[in-house]
Amino acid sequence: MSFPNDFLWGGATAANQVEGGWNEGGRGLANVDVTPWGADRRKVMSGTANAHALDQNHFYPGLEAVDFYHHYKEDIALFAQMGFKVFRMSIAWSRIFPNGDEETPNEEGLQFYEDVFKELQKYGIEPLVTITHFDCPMHLITEYGGWKNPKLIEFYKRLCTVLFTRFKPYVKWWLTFNEINMILHLPFMGAGLEFEEGEDQEKAKYLAAHNELLASAWAVKIGHEINPENRIGCMVAAGEFYPYCSMPEDVFLAKEKERENLLFIDVQSRGEYPRYAQKMFERMGLDLGMSPDQENLLKDNTVDFISFSYYSTRCVSTRPEAGEQVGNAFKGVRNPYLKASDWGWAIDPLGLRTTMNSLYDLYQKPLFIVENGLGATDELIKDENGEWTVADDYRIEYLKAHIQAMKDAVELDGVPLLGYTSWGCIDLVSASTGEMSKRYGFIYVDRDDQGNGTLKRYKKKSFDWYKKVIASNGEDLSNN
Ligand code: BG6
């Protein structure tokens, strides 16, 4: 057997992409609510559009999303049918603290998550909870400037204390920040950052990242104190950087790009900034002003495991002839050896094995793949029994190849892997585009890019395939 018996198979979601119920149960407004679908989305996510409220001119897909808020029982029953051992979900911060800076939490918000955890418990599914997945209460942005402000560390600590205490009977797997390195690419989404004209954006981003890293160490500390059984991980958007060619300049650029991601794991897993990061801060004139207590906090509270998302590798070049820049948050050039998804994301299963090996070589902590999958256009059709379904063989092919690569990393390279949660196990709103039509799920949700649809759920062909993969503990990846 390639995978241990307690290997955690499952699926992953995020509150802002599935929950909806944005103004129910006392929930406050968050950055993810005011991020619209359409041409202005990118400006908002990158912090240059100053979106503070909802307006009539935009459609906001996160407000209702796929309404997990009201459908969670039905959805969890479907996950249980697939045999999930684990379900990755996140907490909407503004459901617990509507403004973010209150002294006491919102009981209705806590009760909602407790109900979800109880439902998971009914089926023996372990929750893997991301404390923040791109969401920040709007009040913390307008009043405090988002994560630029160290006061957010205190508010986040309060959130963590409440969550670890209240959910001690239900949750032991936690992630501190989703894709913490995303702050460098989509800073409003990653850290509630907005920029003034002429502001040094790079400095602001690294300062905010530093605050998140301190907050993450606090989460580890508080989480371990409240329940020594808690297993708390970091989460990074991973995917090896390839040099476009063997030119030394391209090779070095790939290394530099890789380091932009690795420095976060270094702090969270080794407890200190790598020397190249310190040099970079010196060149930028950025003084993090770290006290000895803060240095010790980072050093003494490193994560138990390293989790990451993997969709593709990235290819970079120093030469303009290498072609136009492609990709969403992580820009690079097209890799001539790889096919790409309908959204232009390179498909590279072996890259997953390479990425796993690189991460384990460097940090030697167990890994957890908490996102992987294919965003594709699906068509609802009737099967031979007259049931609505999606013949998503392309998704099965993608997942099969990636699970095989991860199996090779485990079996042939000896990389310890705790689990695998496929992204968007139920169709959800795309983070980068706000579309519903970029679908990842085993379960189709009837809703379109403009918010029309019944929200009815349908099983795709991949549903039964993944069920079989889980039942065989990853041994049977065959199509039939
Ligand atoms: C990761 C995020 O970046 O990739 C998810 O953690 C996101 O929130 C996922 O949905 C896939 O990206 P997209 O843009 O296709 O939704």
Side-chain angles (χ1 to χ4, degrees), residues 282-391:
E282 266 173 46
R283 283 194 298 274
M284 287 166 79
L286 174 64
D287 179 6
L288 294 176
M290 251 211 286
S291 67
D293 280 354
Q294 287 175 334
E295 279 174 16
N296 291 336
L297 173 78
L298 294 179
K299 201 76 209 159
D300 296 342
N301 298 285
T302 56
V303 288
D304 300 315
F305 63 95
I306 292 168
S307 85
F308 62 97
S309 58
Y310 177 85
Y311 294 91
S312 68
T313 43
R314 295 128 190 177
C315 187
V316 289
S317 175
T318 50
R319 292 175 306 145
E321 317 81 271
E324 47 151 359
Q325 298 283 302
V326 292
N328 280 317
F330 295 84
K331 289 253 180 290
V333 295
R334 201 173 292 289
N335 184 328
Y337 301 102
L338 298 174
K339 291 203 178 108
S341 76
D342 294 348
W343 273 262
W345 292 18
I347 299 177
D348 184 5
L350 182 55
L352 173 58
R353 182 172 169 191
T354 310
T355 301
M356 289 172 71
N357 275 285
S358 297
L359 291 177
Y360 190 64
D361 287 351
L362 281 169
Y363 303 107
Q364 294 174 2
K365 288 200 177 174
L367 304 181
F368 204 140
I369 300 173
V370 296
E371 286 186 31
N372 171 239
L374 179 72
T377 310
D378 289 339
E379 192 195 347
L380 208 53
I381 51 160
K382 281 214 169 141
D383 68 12
E384 61 277 11
N385 305 318
E387 299 287 337
W388 289 104
T389 187
V390 175

Side-chain angles (χ1 to χ4, degrees), residues 264-283:
F264 290 87
I265 314 183
D266 266 73
V267 178
Q268 291 177 293
S269 181
R270 291 195 313 111
E272 61 186 11
Y273 282 95
R275 290 179 61 83
Y276 60 79
Q278 294 172 16
K279 287 286 173 194
M280 177 180 71
F281 296 152
E282 266 173 46
R283 283 194 298 274

Side-chain angles (χ1 to χ4, degrees), residues 13-14 16-17 41-42 45 88 133-134 178-179 182 186 189 235 237 309-311 314 328-330 343 345 370-376 423-424 428-435 438-440:
T13 59
N16 76 86
Q17 291 168 264
R41 187 174 183 84
R42 187 48 61 123
M45 292 194 301
R88 177 175 176 228
H133 189 126
F134 297 153
N178 180 64
E179 292 189 339
M182 195 57 85
L186 298 172
M189 187 163 99
M235 192 319 192
S309 58
Y310 177 85
Y311 294 91
R314 295 128 190 177
N328 280 317
F330 295 84
W343 273 262
W345 292 18
V370 296
E371 286 186 31
N372 171 239
L374 179 72
W423 176 248
L428 41 67
V429 176
S430 157
S432 58
T433 69
E435 294 165 305
K438 189 180 186 189
R439 296 173 182 275
Y440 286 88

Side-chain angles (χ1 to χ4, degrees), residues 5-165:
N5 283 334
D6 57 356
F7 190 78
L8 292 165
W9 292 100
T13 59
N16 76 86
Q17 291 168 264
V18 291
E19 254 177 37
W22 69 284
N23 57 359
E24 291 181 65
R27 183 183 177 282
L29 194 71
N31 59 338
V32 286
D33 301 329
V34 300
T35 304
W37 171 80
D40 290 335
R41 187 174 183 84
R42 187 48 61 123
K43 277 187 253 163
V44 171
M45 292 194 301
S46 59
T48 51
N50 283 4
H52 289 174
L54 304 169
D55 66 43
Q56 297 300 318
N57 306 325
H58 292 99
F59 169 62
Y60 299 95
L63 299 184
E64 201 184 349
V66 294
D67 199 27
F68 179 79
Y69 191 69
H70 295 107
H71 289 75
Y72 72 89
K73 289 194 178 167
E74 178 188 350
D75 295 344
I76 291 170
L78 288 166
F79 302 152
Q81 269 186 43
M82 275 186 278
F84 278 21
K85 315 277 183 223
V86 65
F87 173 53
R88 177 175 176 228
M89 53 180 277
S90 76
I91 301 286
W93 189 345
S94 64
R95 231 179 245 301
I96 311 298
F97 289 101
N99 282 327
D101 61 356
E102 295 91 339
E103 293 286 332
T104 46
N106 168 35
E107 176 53 33
E108 255 189 284
L110 288 169
Q111 192 57 54
F112 167 67
Y113 291 111
E114 187 167 328
D115 292 344
V116 171
F117 297 144
K118 281 189 174 148
E119 198 64 21
L120 290 167
Q121 204 173 51
K122 221 164 93 179
Y123 298 102
I125 302 175
E126 290 265 2
L128 165 62
V129 176
T130 317
I131 297 169
T132 54
H133 189 126
F134 297 153
D135 69 317
C136 184
M138 211 51 223
H139 176 77
L140 295 185
I141 297 171
T142 50
E143 291 303 306
Y144 299 90
W147 278 97
K148 262 183 242 181
N149 191 331
K151 281 193 184 143
L152 262 76
I153 301 173
E154 293 310 310
F155 303 138
Y156 181 86
K157 279 167 70 179
R158 203 176 291 162
L159 172 72
C160 290
T161 307
V162 166
L163 298 181
F164 291 136
T165 309

Side-chain angles (χ1 to χ4, degrees), residues 240-243 248-263 276 316 362:
E240 196 87 0
F241 278 89
Y242 295 158
E249 287 76 9
D250 279 11
V251 174
F252 195 72
L253 179 64
K255 181 176 270 306
E256 283 188 310
K257 287 284 162 196
E258 195 70 57
R259 284 174 160 184
E260 281 180 9
N261 299 337
L262 296 180
L263 79 85
Y276 60 79
V316 289
L362 281 169

Side-chain angles (χ1 to χ4, degrees), residues 9 400 403 464-478:
W9 292 100
K400 185 169 139 180
I403 292 174
D464 285 328
W465 175 81
Y466 196 46
K467 181 177 174 174
K468 186 185 61 179
V469 171
I470 298 177
S472 66
N473 200 16
E475 292 303 306
D476 185 357
L477 304 181
S478 65

